Amino acid sequence: MARVADPAELARILLGRWQICGTTFNYWRTPTRLRPTVEYEIVKSSPLELLETNRYTRTDKGEREFVCHSQWKGDHFVWQIPDEPQLDSAFVVSDTPATTDIIAVHFGNSGQGDSWVNILAHENLKPEEVRTLVARDTYSFELTADEFWRLTWLHTTDAA
């Protein structure tokens, strides 16, 4: 499996803006939240601390965003929304040498429910391409068959 455990490598991989193409997280599965993206920036390099900005369009309220902080704890990140401490979790990152354009971010159980996974891809890839590439190599992305089948594949446009 391809879990990334080196903070310098994680910083290199994660930095930048990603589209959320697939997810098992109910927050992103609702039809009122469109075109979700996440952008990672380094706050501190040692120990690695990231600022994560999640953006999406809400059909009834327009452009929205929320910010999270992630701190490296040796073998995982601790993830938290600063104003909502009950919404914390831990996550790890899986990627595959076959493509640097797609990663799987696995979140552990939180106060808000079960574990979940987000499939992130650089914006140059179409969600259909991402699904195909992930389906061919679920092992490298550390996805069980059940996780793969539970993924909701999101669209990046409003078109139905």
Side-chain angles (χ1 to χ4, degrees), residues 68-79:
C68 309
H69 289 275
S70 302
Q71 293 186 314
W72 183 245
K73 297 296 185 181
D75 63 353
H76 67 281
F77 281 100
V78 172
W79 174 89

Side-chain angles (χ1 to χ4, degrees), residues 79-110:
W79 174 89
Q80 186 173 47
I81 298 175
D83 296 334
E84 302 193 41
Q86 74 279 10
L87 296 178
D88 65 342
S89 187
F91 73 88
V92 295
V93 177
S94 300
D95 77 343
T96 175
T99 178
T100 58
D101 289 328
I102 305 169
I103 58 175
V105 181
H106 299 265
F107 291 84
N109 293 343
S110 71

Side-chain angles (χ1 to χ4, degrees), residues 7-150:
E9 182 70 3
L10 282 162
R12 186 190 67 74
I13 290 170
L14 287 171
L15 285 185
R17 185 175 165 138
W18 300 81
Q19 62 181 327
I20 300 173
C21 290
T23 188
T24 61
F25 188 37
N26 285 335
Y27 187 83
W28 296 126
R29 295 167 102 173
T30 179
T32 59
R33 293 186 182 99
L34 305 173
R35 295 182 306 280
T37 62
V38 59
E39 186 170 354
Y40 293 100
E41 301 172 52
I42 294 177
V43 173
K44 190 168 69 170
S45 36
S46 186
L48 183 59
E49 186 177 331
L50 303 174
L51 180 69
E52 174 186 322
T53 304
N54 292 266
R55 294 183 180 94
Y56 59 97
T57 300
R58 192 158 154 179
T59 56
D60 58 345
K61 296 183 180 182
E63 298 297 316
R64 310 294 281 179
E65 76 175 39
F66 62 92
V67 176
C68 309
H69 289 275
S70 302
Q71 293 186 314
W72 183 245
K73 297 296 185 181
D75 63 353
H76 67 281
F77 281 100
V78 172
W79 174 89
Q80 186 173 47
I81 298 175
D83 296 334
E84 302 193 41
Q86 74 279 10
L87 296 178
D88 65 342
S89 187
F91 73 88
V92 295
V93 177
S94 300
D95 77 343
T96 175
T99 178
T100 58
D101 289 328
I102 305 169
I103 58 175
V105 181
H106 299 265
F107 291 84
N109 293 343
S110 71
Q112 297 301 303
D114 295 332
S115 60
W116 73 92
V117 63
N118 286 334
I119 303 298
L120 308 182
H122 284 129
E123 295 180 299
N124 60 318
L125 294 177
K126 294 178 181 174
E128 300 79 28
E129 294 174 291
V130 174
R131 185 180 194 277
T132 299
L133 290 168
V134 171
R136 287 182 185 155
D137 195 8
T138 56
Y139 181 79
S140 290
F141 292 103
E142 297 188 88
L143 295 170
T144 65
D146 181 60
E147 285 173 318
F148 179 78
W149 290 114
R150 286 189 303 118

